[in-house]
């Protein structure tokens, strides 16, 4: 059984996801479309063209699940309590990317900045995480949230 702890690994420190991001960052394009500044807070609206990791994540999950049920050895591995499955989905996404099976989409994000000690700092929030991960953060978060009743 997959434990909740296995599902809650840090998306941004997982070697497999970092490899995916490194491989795909060359395809990301952005345009700042709006800025608003107040004394200590600012917002920046960014239009980003990026790989559609949202759809790719769903496809990769389905593919990995199909592989698990089709391969008895992999299925038995999954049943082991200490099985590390965290790399299966991002590795599948890398394969999809290399085979040009991930489309590009445009998404608009609004980032918040705080003025701290005279310097503008981007607020670490879900919008920033989604921008950095091409929308993947929300999918992984949703998967973790829906699996929180596993144990």
């Amino acid at each position: 059984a997959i434990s909740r702890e296995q599902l809650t690994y840090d998306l941004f420190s997982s070697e497999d996801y970092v490899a995916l991001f490194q491989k795909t960052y060359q395809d990301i394009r952005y345009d700042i479309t709006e800025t608003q500044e107040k004394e200590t807070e600012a917002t920046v609206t960014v239009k980003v063209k990026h790989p559609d990791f949202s759809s790719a994540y769903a496809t990769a999950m389905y593919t990995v699940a199909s592989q698990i049920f089709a391969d008895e050895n992999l299925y038995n591995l999954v049943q082991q309590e200490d099985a590390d499955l965290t790399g299966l989905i991002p590795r599948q996404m890398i394969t999809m990317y290399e085979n040009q099976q991930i489309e590009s989409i445009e998404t608009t994000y609004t980032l918040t900045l705080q003025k701290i000690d005279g310097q503008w700092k981007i607020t670490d929030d879900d919008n920033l995480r989604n921008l950095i991960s091409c929308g993947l953060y929300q999918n992984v978060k949703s998967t973790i949230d829906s699996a929180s009743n596993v144990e």
Side-chain angles (χ1 to χ4, degrees):
I2 299 172
S3 72
R4 195 151 146 229
E5 288 75 28
Q6 284 177 297
L7 290 174
T8 57
Y9 64 93
D10 186 352
L11 176 65
F12 298 106
S13 64
S14 160
E15 287 181 27
D16 295 297
Y17 279 111
V18 169
L20 173 66
F21 298 147
Q22 288 174 334
K23 199 171 264 297
T24 59
Y25 274 145
Q26 67 194 14
D27 294 333
I28 297 173
R29 303 288 178 264
Y30 70 92
D31 183 33
I32 296 174
T33 59
E34 183 181 350
T35 60
Q36 294 182 356
E37 184 178 327
K38 296 179 184 173
E39 284 185 32
T40 59
E41 185 174 287
T43 58
V44 176
T45 303
V46 184
K47 187 187 304 182
V48 183
K49 183 176 181 180
H50 59 85
D52 184 3
F53 283 167
S54 184
S55 294
Y57 181 75
T59 301
M61 282 183 59
Y62 176 81
T63 301
V64 167
S66 297
Q67 290 170 346
I68 289 170
F69 288 113
D71 182 332
E72 186 177 344
N73 292 330
L74 189 54
Y75 181 81
N76 290 334
L77 177 66
V78 170
Q79 300 304 310
Q80 297 175 14
E81 189 155 326
D82 62 345
D84 182 8
L85 309 173
T86 57
L88 294 177
I89 293 172
R91 286 194 296 269
Q92 179 61 38
M93 291 176 70
I94 289 171
T95 299
M96 293 166 61
Y97 175 78
E98 290 172 343
N99 292 329
Q100 300 178 341
Q101 296 171 321
I102 299 178
E103 300 290 323
S104 288
I105 61 169
E106 242 179 42
T107 307
T108 300
Y109 297 98
T110 300
L111 302 177
T112 303
L113 293 87
Q114 301 290 324
K115 195 173 233 180
I116 301 171
D117 298 327
Q119 301 259 331
W120 288 107
K121 310 275 183 172
I122 299 175
T123 304
D124 183 8
D125 62 10
D126 285 359
N127 283 336
L128 177 62
R129 292 181 195 109
N130 276 313
L131 184 144
I132 291 170
S133 68
C134 301
L136 183 60
Y137 173 79
Q138 186 58 46
N139 283 49
V140 173
K141 186 174 184 284
S142 295
T143 300
I144 291 168
D145 291 346
S146 67
S148 64
N149 295 328
V150 171
E151 288 190 337

PDB file of all heavy atoms in Angstrom, residues 113-150:
ATOM      1  N   LEU A 113       4.354  40.197  -4.661  1.00  0.00           N
ATOM      2  CA  LEU A 113       5.676  40.536  -4.144  1.00  0.00           C
ATOM      3  C   LEU A 113       5.508  41.398  -2.898  1.00  0.00           C
ATOM      4  O   LEU A 113       4.565  42.198  -2.816  1.00  0.00           O
ATOM      5  CB  LEU A 113       6.491  41.310  -5.180  1.00  0.00           C
ATOM      6  CG  LEU A 113       6.893  40.528  -6.436  1.00  0.00           C
ATOM      7  CD1 LEU A 113       5.814  40.587  -7.482  1.00  0.00           C
ATOM      8  CD2 LEU A 113       8.180  41.071  -6.980  1.00  0.00           C
ATOM      9  N   GLN A 114       6.404  41.233  -1.952  1.00  0.00           N
ATOM     10  CA  GLN A 114       6.429  42.022  -0.725  1.00  0.00           C
ATOM     11  C   GLN A 114       7.736  42.813  -0.701  1.00  0.00           C
ATOM     12  O   GLN A 114       8.782  42.285  -1.050  1.00  0.00           O
ATOM     13  CB  GLN A 114       6.356  41.122   0.515  1.00  0.00           C
ATOM     14  CG  GLN A 114       5.127  40.247   0.605  1.00  0.00           C
ATOM     15  CD  GLN A 114       3.872  41.055   0.879  1.00  0.00           C
ATOM     16  OE1 GLN A 114       3.899  42.028   1.592  1.00  0.00           O
ATOM     17  NE2 GLN A 114       2.774  40.630   0.276  1.00  0.00           N
ATOM     18  N   LYS A 115       7.661  44.068  -0.267  1.00  0.00           N
ATOM     19  CA  LYS A 115       8.874  44.873  -0.126  1.00  0.00           C
ATOM     20  C   LYS A 115       9.421  44.629   1.272  1.00  0.00           C
ATOM     21  O   LYS A 115       8.775  44.929   2.273  1.00  0.00           O
ATOM     22  CB  LYS A 115       8.576  46.350  -0.334  1.00  0.00           C
ATOM     23  CG  LYS A 115       9.814  47.180  -0.548  1.00  0.00           C
ATOM     24  CD  LYS A 115       9.451  48.594  -0.906  1.00  0.00           C
ATOM     25  CE  LYS A 115      10.171  48.980  -2.179  1.00  0.00           C
ATOM     26  NZ  LYS A 115       9.855  50.356  -2.579  1.00  0.00           N
ATOM     27  N   ILE A 116      10.604  44.030   1.316  1.00  0.00           N
ATOM     28  CA  ILE A 116      11.259  43.691   2.580  1.00  0.00           C
ATOM     29  C   ILE A 116      12.653  44.307   2.555  1.00  0.00           C
ATOM     30  O   ILE A 116      13.439  44.019   1.653  1.00  0.00           O
ATOM     31  CB  ILE A 116      11.336  42.160   2.770  1.00  0.00           C
ATOM     32  CG1 ILE A 116       9.925  41.563   2.748  1.00  0.00           C
ATOM     33  CG2 ILE A 116      12.070  41.808   4.056  1.00  0.00           C
ATOM     34  CD1 ILE A 116       9.872  40.055   2.701  1.00  0.00           C
ATOM     35  N   ASP A 117      12.916  45.140   3.540  1.00  0.00           N
ATOM     36  CA  ASP A 117      14.221  45.835   3.633  1.00  0.00           C
ATOM     37  C   ASP A 117      14.574  46.542   2.315  1.00  0.00           C
ATOM     38  O   ASP A 117      15.714  46.491   1.848  1.00  0.00           O
ATOM     39  CB  ASP A 117      15.343  44.862   4.021  1.00  0.00           C
ATOM     40  CG  ASP A 117      15.126  44.245   5.395  1.00  0.00           C
ATOM     41  OD1 ASP A 117      14.553  44.943   6.273  1.00  0.00           O
ATOM     42  OD2 ASP A 117      15.529  43.083   5.590  1.00  0.00           O
ATOM     43  N   GLY A 118      13.559  47.159   1.701  1.00  0.00           N
ATOM     44  CA  GLY A 118      13.785  47.915   0.478  1.00  0.00           C
ATOM     45  C   GLY A 118      13.909  47.090  -0.790  1.00  0.00           C
ATOM     46  O   GLY A 118      14.108  47.634  -1.867  1.00  0.00           O
ATOM     47  N   GLN A 119      13.783  45.765  -0.675  1.00  0.00           N
ATOM     48  CA  GLN A 119      13.912  44.865  -1.836  1.00  0.00           C
ATOM     49  C   GLN A 119      12.577  44.146  -2.076  1.00  0.00           C
ATOM     50  O   GLN A 119      11.912  43.737  -1.137  1.00  0.00           O
ATOM     51  CB  GLN A 119      14.986  43.810  -1.550  1.00  0.00           C
ATOM     52  CG  GLN A 119      16.346  44.372  -1.255  1.00  0.00           C
ATOM     53  CD  GLN A 119      17.251  44.275  -2.459  1.00  0.00           C
ATOM     54  OE1 GLN A 119      17.102  43.395  -3.280  1.00  0.00           O
ATOM     55  NE2 GLN A 119      18.187  45.192  -2.562  1.00  0.00           N
ATOM     56  N   TRP A 120      12.210  43.965  -3.345  1.00  0.00           N
ATOM     57  CA  TRP A 120      11.000  43.226  -3.684  1.00  0.00           C
ATOM     58  C   TRP A 120      11.305  41.733  -3.650  1.00  0.00           C
ATOM     59  O   TRP A 120      12.257  41.275  -4.267  1.00  0.00           O
ATOM     60  CB  TRP A 120      10.492  43.613  -5.062  1.00  0.00           C
ATOM     61  CG  TRP A 120       9.905  44.985  -5.085  1.00  0.00           C
ATOM     62  CD1 TRP A 120      10.452  46.099  -5.638  1.00  0.00           C
ATOM     63  CD2 TRP A 120       8.652  45.381  -4.527  1.00  0.00           C
ATOM     64  NE1 TRP A 120       9.629  47.166  -5.451  1.00  0.00           N
ATOM     65  CE2 TRP A 120       8.508  46.762  -4.772  1.00  0.00           C
ATOM     66  CE3 TRP A 120       7.646  44.713  -3.834  1.00  0.00           C
ATOM     67  CZ2 TRP A 120       7.389  47.486  -4.364  1.00  0.00           C
ATOM     68  CZ3 TRP A 120       6.533  45.437  -3.422  1.00  0.00           C
ATOM     69  CH2 TRP A 120       6.401  46.789  -3.681  1.00  0.00           C
ATOM     70  N   LYS A 121      10.497  40.987  -2.902  1.00  0.00           N
ATOM     71  CA  LYS A 121      10.649  39.532  -2.775  1.00  0.00           C
ATOM     72  C   LYS A 121       9.346  38.876  -3.230  1.00  0.00           C
ATOM     73  O   LYS A 121       8.257  39.286  -2.808  1.00  0.00           O
ATOM     74  CB  LYS A 121      10.922  39.115  -1.320  1.00  0.00           C
ATOM     75  CG  LYS A 121      12.046  39.879  -0.644  1.00  0.00           C
ATOM     76  CD  LYS A 121      13.373  39.283  -0.944  1.00  0.00           C
ATOM     77  CE  LYS A 121      14.430  40.073  -0.169  1.00  0.00           C
ATOM     78  NZ  LYS A 121      15.703  39.536  -0.215  1.00  0.00           N
ATOM     79  N   ILE A 122       9.467  37.871  -4.066  1.00  0.00           N
ATOM     80  CA  ILE A 122       8.282  37.139  -4.532  1.00  0.00           C
ATOM     81  C   ILE A 122       7.749  36.288  -3.384  1.00  0.00           C
ATOM     82  O   ILE A 122       8.500  35.583  -2.723  1.00  0.00           O
ATOM     83  CB  ILE A 122       8.611  36.247  -5.743  1.00  0.00           C
ATOM     84  CG1 ILE A 122       9.103  37.098  -6.911  1.00  0.00           C
ATOM     85  CG2 ILE A 122       7.394  35.434  -6.162  1.00  0.00           C
ATOM     86  CD1 ILE A 122       9.570  36.306  -8.106  1.00  0.00           C
ATOM     87  N   THR A 123       6.440  36.355  -3.175  1.00  0.00           N
ATOM     88  CA  THR A 123       5.797  35.565  -2.142  1.00  0.00           C
ATOM     89  C   THR A 123       5.770  34.102  -2.557  1.00  0.00           C
ATOM     90  O   THR A 123       5.358  33.768  -3.678  1.00  0.00           O
ATOM     91  CB  THR A 123       4.346  36.063  -1.904  1.00  0.00           C
ATOM     92  OG1 THR A 123       4.403  37.447  -1.581  1.00  0.00           O
ATOM     93  CG2 THR A 123       3.673  35.297  -0.785  1.00  0.00           C
ATOM     94  N   ASP A 124       6.228  33.232  -1.664  1.00  0.00           N
ATOM     95  CA  ASP A 124       6.221  31.792  -1.922  1.00  0.00           C
ATOM     96  C   ASP A 124       4.815  31.271  -1.669  1.00  0.00           C
ATOM     97  O   ASP A 124       4.418  31.051  -0.537  1.00  0.00           O
ATOM     98  CB  ASP A 124       7.239  31.094  -1.017  1.00  0.00           C
ATOM     99  CG  ASP A 124       7.334  29.607  -1.298  1.00  0.00           C
ATOM    100  OD1 ASP A 124       6.735  29.127  -2.272  1.00  0.00           O
ATOM    101  OD2 ASP A 124       8.030  28.919  -0.525  1.00  0.00           O
ATOM    102  N   ASP A 125       4.043  31.103  -2.744  1.00  0.00           N
ATOM    103  CA  ASP A 125       2.672  30.626  -2.611  1.00  0.00           C
ATOM    104  C   ASP A 125       2.360  29.661  -3.753  1.00  0.00           C
ATOM    105  O   ASP A 125       3.224  29.347  -4.579  1.00  0.00           O
ATOM    106  CB  ASP A 125       1.680  31.794  -2.565  1.00  0.00           C
ATOM    107  CG  ASP A 125       1.688  32.642  -3.840  1.00  0.00           C
ATOM    108  OD1 ASP A 125       2.321  32.243  -4.850  1.00  0.00           O
ATOM    109  OD2 ASP A 125       1.052  33.702  -3.833  1.00  0.00           O
ATOM    110  N   ASP A 126       1.124  29.184  -3.802  1.00  0.00           N
ATOM    111  CA  ASP A 126       0.747  28.204  -4.827  1.00  0.00           C
ATOM    112  C   ASP A 126       0.902  28.756  -6.245  1.00  0.00           C
ATOM    113  O   ASP A 126       1.252  28.010  -7.164  1.00  0.00           O
ATOM    114  CB  ASP A 126      -0.682  27.717  -4.600  1.00  0.00           C
ATOM    115  CG  ASP A 126      -0.788  26.748  -3.437  1.00  0.00           C
ATOM    116  OD1 ASP A 126       0.247  26.427  -2.809  1.00  0.00           O
ATOM    117  OD2 ASP A 126      -1.918  26.311  -3.136  1.00  0.00           O
ATOM    118  N   ASN A 127       0.645  30.052  -6.450  1.00  0.00           N
ATOM    119  CA  ASN A 127       0.818  30.622  -7.791  1.00  0.00           C
ATOM    120  C   ASN A 127       2.265  30.515  -8.250  1.00  0.00           C
ATOM    121  O   ASN A 127       2.534  30.157  -9.399  1.00  0.00           O
ATOM    122  CB  ASN A 127       0.367  32.085  -7.823  1.00  0.00           C
ATOM    123  CG  ASN A 127      -1.133  32.215  -7.864  1.00  0.00           C
ATOM    124  OD1 ASN A 127      -1.833  31.316  -8.300  1.00  0.00           O
ATOM    125  ND2 ASN A 127      -1.630  33.338  -7.398  1.00  0.00           N
ATOM    126  N   LEU A 128       3.201  30.843  -7.364  1.00  0.00           N
ATOM    127  CA  LEU A 128       4.620  30.737  -7.718  1.00  0.00           C
ATOM    128  C   LEU A 128       5.003  29.283  -7.986  1.00  0.00           C
ATOM    129  O   LEU A 128       5.673  28.975  -8.972  1.00  0.00           O
ATOM    130  CB  LEU A 128       5.497  31.319  -6.613  1.00  0.00           C
ATOM    131  CG  LEU A 128       7.012  31.207  -6.838  1.00  0.00           C
ATOM    132  CD1 LEU A 128       7.435  31.965  -8.089  1.00  0.00           C
ATOM    133  CD2 LEU A 128       7.771  31.704  -5.616  1.00  0.00           C
ATOM    134  N   ARG A 129       4.550  28.387  -7.125  1.00  0.00           N
ATOM    135  CA  ARG A 129       4.872  26.958  -7.309  1.00  0.00           C
ATOM    136  C   ARG A 129       4.309  26.432  -8.626  1.00  0.00           C
ATOM    137  O   ARG A 129       4.951  25.647  -9.316  1.00  0.00           O
ATOM    138  CB  ARG A 129       4.344  26.157  -6.135  1.00  0.00           C
ATOM    139  CG  ARG A 129       5.072  26.452  -4.840  1.00  0.00           C
ATOM    140  CD  ARG A 129       4.527  25.620  -3.681  1.00  0.00           C
ATOM    141  NE  ARG A 129       4.992  26.175  -2.433  1.00  0.00           N
ATOM    142  CZ  ARG A 129       4.220  26.811  -1.556  1.00  0.00           C
ATOM    143  NH1 ARG A 129       2.927  26.934  -1.773  1.00  0.00           N
ATOM    144  NH2 ARG A 129       4.724  27.303  -0.453  1.00  0.00           N
ATOM    145  N   ASN A 130       3.097  26.861  -8.977  1.00  0.00           N
ATOM    146  CA  ASN A 130       2.505  26.430 -10.242  1.00  0.00           C
ATOM    147  C   ASN A 130       3.251  27.005 -11.427  1.00  0.00           C
ATOM    148  O   ASN A 130       3.456  26.320 -12.428  1.00  0.00           O
ATOM    149  CB  ASN A 130       1.024  26.808 -10.302  1.00  0.00           C
ATOM    150  CG  ASN A 130       0.166  25.783  -9.606  1.00  0.00           C
ATOM    151  OD1 ASN A 130       0.328  24.592  -9.813  1.00  0.00           O
ATOM    152  ND2 ASN A 130      -0.723  26.244  -8.761  1.00  0.00           N
ATOM    153  N   LEU A 131       3.677  28.269 -11.335  1.00  0.00           N
ATOM    154  CA  LEU A 131       4.441  28.868 -12.422  1.00  0.00           C
ATOM    155  C   LEU A 131       5.745  28.113 -12.627  1.00  0.00           C
ATOM    156  O   LEU A 131       6.079  27.733 -13.750  1.00  0.00           O
ATOM    157  CB  LEU A 131       4.717  30.342 -12.122  1.00  0.00           C
ATOM    158  CG  LEU A 131       5.426  31.100 -13.233  1.00  0.00           C
ATOM    159  CD1 LEU A 131       4.897  32.528 -13.299  1.00  0.00           C
ATOM    160  CD2 LEU A 131       6.916  31.124 -13.055  1.00  0.00           C
ATOM    161  N   ILE A 132       6.480  27.874 -11.545  1.00  0.00           N
ATOM    162  CA  ILE A 132       7.771  27.198 -11.640  1.00  0.00           C
ATOM    163  C   ILE A 132       7.619  25.778 -12.195  1.00  0.00           C
ATOM    164  O   ILE A 132       8.453  25.307 -12.957  1.00  0.00           O
ATOM    165  CB  ILE A 132       8.464  27.162 -10.256  1.00  0.00           C
ATOM    166  CG1 ILE A 132       8.890  28.578  -9.857  1.00  0.00           C
ATOM    167  CG2 ILE A 132       9.658  26.218 -10.258  1.00  0.00           C
ATOM    168  CD1 ILE A 132       9.349  28.690  -8.425  1.00  0.00           C
ATOM    169  N   SER A 133       6.529  25.103 -11.813  1.00  0.00           N
ATOM    170  CA  SER A 133       6.359  23.704 -12.198  1.00  0.00           C
ATOM    171  C   SER A 133       5.439  23.515 -13.405  1.00  0.00           C
ATOM    172  O   SER A 133       5.025  22.396 -13.697  1.00  0.00           O
ATOM    173  CB  SER A 133       5.812  22.901 -11.017  1.00  0.00           C
ATOM    174  OG  SER A 133       4.479  23.307 -10.723  1.00  0.00           O
ATOM    175  N   CYS A 134       5.114  24.590 -14.104  1.00  0.00           N
ATOM    176  CA  CYS A 134       4.229  24.515 -15.281  1.00  0.00           C
ATOM    177  C   CYS A 134       2.877  23.887 -14.940  1.00  0.00           C
ATOM    178  O   CYS A 134       2.334  23.095 -15.702  1.00  0.00           O
ATOM    179  CB  CYS A 134       4.903  23.763 -16.425  1.00  0.00           C
ATOM    180  SG  CYS A 134       6.453  24.491 -16.966  1.00  0.00           S
ATOM    181  N   GLY A 135       2.348  24.221 -13.774  1.00  0.00           N
ATOM    182  CA  GLY A 135       1.043  23.727 -13.358  1.00  0.00           C
ATOM    183  C   GLY A 135       1.065  22.368 -12.693  1.00  0.00           C
ATOM    184  O   GLY A 135       0.042  21.904 -12.184  1.00  0.00           O
ATOM    185  N   LEU A 136       2.197  21.732 -12.657  1.00  0.00           N
ATOM    186  CA  LEU A 136       2.297  20.386 -12.086  1.00  0.00           C
ATOM    187  C   LEU A 136       2.048  20.382 -10.576  1.00  0.00           C
ATOM    188  O   LEU A 136       1.470  19.442 -10.042  1.00  0.00           O
ATOM    189  CB  LEU A 136       3.663  19.791 -12.398  1.00  0.00           C
ATOM    190  CG  LEU A 136       3.916  18.367 -11.951  1.00  0.00           C
ATOM    191  CD1 LEU A 136       2.922  17.414 -12.608  1.00  0.00           C
ATOM    192  CD2 LEU A 136       5.333  17.956 -12.307  1.00  0.00           C
ATOM    193  N   TYR A 137       2.469  21.443  -9.901  1.00  0.00           N
ATOM    194  CA  TYR A 137       2.315  21.502  -8.443  1.00  0.00           C
ATOM    195  C   TYR A 137       0.863  21.255  -8.034  1.00  0.00           C
ATOM    196  O   TYR A 137       0.590  20.475  -7.125  1.00  0.00           O
ATOM    197  CB  TYR A 137       2.791  22.856  -7.902  1.00  0.00           C
ATOM    198  CG  TYR A 137       2.492  23.038  -6.441  1.00  0.00           C
ATOM    199  CD1 TYR A 137       3.299  22.450  -5.473  1.00  0.00           C
ATOM    200  CD2 TYR A 137       1.393  23.770  -6.021  1.00  0.00           C
ATOM    201  CE1 TYR A 137       3.014  22.600  -4.126  1.00  0.00           C
ATOM    202  CE2 TYR A 137       1.104  23.922  -4.676  1.00  0.00           C
ATOM    203  CZ  TYR A 137       1.920  23.344  -3.732  1.00  0.00           C
ATOM    204  OH  TYR A 137       1.617  23.482  -2.401  1.00  0.00           O
ATOM    205  N   GLN A 138      -0.084  21.912  -8.716  1.00  0.00           N
ATOM    206  CA  GLN A 138      -1.492  21.763  -8.341  1.00  0.00           C
ATOM    207  C   GLN A 138      -1.963  20.328  -8.527  1.00  0.00           C
ATOM    208  O   GLN A 138      -2.715  19.808  -7.720  1.00  0.00           O
ATOM    209  CB  GLN A 138      -2.365  22.723  -9.143  1.00  0.00           C
ATOM    210  CG  GLN A 138      -3.819  22.718  -8.701  1.00  0.00           C
ATOM    211  CD  GLN A 138      -3.986  23.080  -7.236  1.00  0.00           C
ATOM    212  OE1 GLN A 138      -3.388  24.033  -6.746  1.00  0.00           O
ATOM    213  NE2 GLN A 138      -4.779  22.316  -6.504  1.00  0.00           N
ATOM    214  N   ASN A 139      -1.522  19.668  -9.593  1.00  0.00           N
ATOM    215  CA  ASN A 139      -1.925  18.277  -9.819  1.00  0.00           C
ATOM    216  C   ASN A 139      -1.390  17.349  -8.731  1.00  0.00           C
ATOM    217  O   ASN A 139      -2.111  16.488  -8.230  1.00  0.00           O
ATOM    218  CB  ASN A 139      -1.440  17.799 -11.180  1.00  0.00           C
ATOM    219  CG  ASN A 139      -2.287  18.334 -12.286  1.00  0.00           C
ATOM    220  OD1 ASN A 139      -2.557  19.527 -12.341  1.00  0.00           O
ATOM    221  ND2 ASN A 139      -2.703  17.478 -13.182  1.00  0.00           N
ATOM    222  N   VAL A 140      -0.116  17.515  -8.386  1.00  0.00           N
ATOM    223  CA  VAL A 140       0.476  16.670  -7.344  1.00  0.00           C
ATOM    224  C   VAL A 140      -0.209  16.952  -6.015  1.00  0.00           C
ATOM    225  O   VAL A 140      -0.563  16.031  -5.280  1.00  0.00           O
ATOM    226  CB  VAL A 140       2.002  16.888  -7.249  1.00  0.00           C
ATOM    227  CG1 VAL A 140       2.588  16.145  -6.057  1.00  0.00           C
ATOM    228  CG2 VAL A 140       2.672  16.425  -8.538  1.00  0.00           C
ATOM    229  N   LYS A 141      -0.454  18.218  -5.720  1.00  0.00           N
ATOM    230  CA  LYS A 141      -1.136  18.597  -4.482  1.00  0.00           C
ATOM    231  C   LYS A 141      -2.540  17.977  -4.423  1.00  0.00           C
ATOM    232  O   LYS A 141      -2.951  17.438  -3.400  1.00  0.00           O
ATOM    233  CB  LYS A 141      -1.213  20.117  -4.379  1.00  0.00           C
ATOM    234  CG  LYS A 141      -1.780  20.652  -3.079  1.00  0.00           C
ATOM    235  CD  LYS A 141      -1.671  22.177  -3.061  1.00  0.00           C
ATOM    236  CE  LYS A 141      -2.127  22.766  -1.765  1.00  0.00           C
ATOM    237  NZ  LYS A 141      -3.565  22.796  -1.609  1.00  0.00           N
ATOM    238  N   SER A 142      -3.264  18.020  -5.533  1.00  0.00           N
ATOM    239  CA  SER A 142      -4.606  17.423  -5.585  1.00  0.00           C
ATOM    240  C   SER A 142      -4.558  15.915  -5.376  1.00  0.00           C
ATOM    241  O   SER A 142      -5.397  15.338  -4.694  1.00  0.00           O
ATOM    242  CB  SER A 142      -5.285  17.728  -6.921  1.00  0.00           C
ATOM    243  OG  SER A 142      -5.504  19.098  -7.046  1.00  0.00           O
ATOM    244  N   THR A 143      -3.553  15.274  -5.981  1.00  0.00           N
ATOM    245  CA  THR A 143      -3.389  13.833  -5.797  1.00  0.00           C
ATOM    246  C   THR A 143      -3.124  13.510  -4.336  1.00  0.00           C
ATOM    247  O   THR A 143      -3.724  12.588  -3.767  1.00  0.00           O
ATOM    248  CB  THR A 143      -2.218  13.302  -6.665  1.00  0.00           C
ATOM    249  OG1 THR A 143      -2.512  13.586  -8.036  1.00  0.00           O
ATOM    250  CG2 THR A 143      -2.035  11.809  -6.478  1.00  0.00           C
ATOM    251  N   ILE A 144      -2.248  14.277  -3.716  1.00  0.00           N
ATOM    252  CA  ILE A 144      -1.929  14.064  -2.287  1.00  0.00           C
ATOM    253  C   ILE A 144      -3.162  14.300  -1.436  1.00  0.00           C
ATOM    254  O   ILE A 144      -3.474  13.495  -0.549  1.00  0.00           O
ATOM    255  CB  ILE A 144      -0.769  14.980  -1.855  1.00  0.00           C
ATOM    256  CG1 ILE A 144       0.521  14.528  -2.529  1.00  0.00           C
ATOM    257  CG2 ILE A 144      -0.616  14.981  -0.338  1.00  0.00           C
ATOM    258  CD1 ILE A 144       1.663  15.514  -2.410  1.00  0.00           C
ATOM    259  N   ASP A 145      -3.895  15.389  -1.715  1.00  0.00           N
ATOM    260  CA  ASP A 145      -5.102  15.704  -0.951  1.00  0.00           C
ATOM    261  C   ASP A 145      -6.139  14.583  -1.077  1.00  0.00           C
ATOM    262  O   ASP A 145      -6.760  14.182  -0.103  1.00  0.00           O
ATOM    263  CB  ASP A 145      -5.697  17.036  -1.383  1.00  0.00           C
ATOM    264  CG  ASP A 145      -4.846  18.221  -0.994  1.00  0.00           C
ATOM    265  OD1 ASP A 145      -3.920  18.067  -0.152  1.00  0.00           O
ATOM    266  OD2 ASP A 145      -5.085  19.328  -1.532  1.00  0.00           O
ATOM    267  N   SER A 146      -6.334  14.075  -2.305  1.00  0.00           N
ATOM    268  CA  SER A 146      -7.339  13.022  -2.489  1.00  0.00           C
ATOM    269  C   SER A 146      -6.902  11.689  -1.909  1.00  0.00           C
ATOM    270  O   SER A 146      -7.728  10.847  -1.576  1.00  0.00           O
ATOM    271  CB  SER A 146      -7.680  12.868  -3.975  1.00  0.00           C
ATOM    272  OG  SER A 146      -6.590  12.371  -4.678  1.00  0.00           O
ATOM    273  N   ALA A 147      -5.590  11.502  -1.778  1.00  0.00           N
ATOM    274  CA  ALA A 147      -5.072  10.243  -1.206  1.00  0.00           C
ATOM    275  C   ALA A 147      -4.853  10.323   0.294  1.00  0.00           C
ATOM    276  O   ALA A 147      -4.391   9.370   0.895  1.00  0.00           O
ATOM    277  CB  ALA A 147      -3.769   9.869  -1.897  1.00  0.00           C
ATOM    278  N   SER A 148      -5.214  11.443   0.897  1.00  0.00           N
ATOM    279  CA  SER A 148      -4.939  11.612   2.329  1.00  0.00           C
ATOM    280  C   SER A 148      -5.696  10.629   3.195  1.00  0.00           C
ATOM    281  O   SER A 148      -5.349  10.425   4.357  1.00  0.00           O
ATOM    282  CB  SER A 148      -5.241  13.054   2.771  1.00  0.00           C
ATOM    283  OG  SER A 148      -6.618  13.320   2.623  1.00  0.00           O
ATOM    284  N   ASN A 149      -6.690   9.979   2.633  1.00  0.00           N
ATOM    285  CA  ASN A 149      -7.445   8.969   3.386  1.00  0.00           C
ATOM    286  C   ASN A 149      -6.935   7.561   3.158  1.00  0.00           C
ATOM    287  O   ASN A 149      -7.571   6.603   3.553  1.00  0.00           O
ATOM    288  CB  ASN A 149      -8.924   9.055   3.029  1.00  0.00           C
ATOM    289  CG  ASN A 149      -9.547  10.361   3.464  1.00  0.00           C
ATOM    290  OD1 ASN A 149      -9.154  10.931   4.477  1.00  0.00           O
ATOM    291  ND2 ASN A 149     -10.487  10.845   2.694  1.00  0.00           N
ATOM    292  N   VAL A 150      -5.757   7.435   2.501  1.00  0.00           N
ATOM    293  CA  VAL A 150      -5.206   6.106   2.199  1.00  0.00           C
ATOM    294  C   VAL A 150      -4.920   5.343   3.471  1.00  0.00           C
ATOM    295  O   VAL A 150      -5.173   4.168   3.561  1.00  0.00           O
ATOM    296  CB  VAL A 150      -3.932   6.234   1.318  1.00  0.00           C
ATOM    297  CG1 VAL A 150      -3.231   4.895   1.184  1.00  0.00           C
ATOM    298  CG2 VAL A 150      -4.292   6.774  -0.033  1.00  0.00           C
TER     299      VAL A 150
END
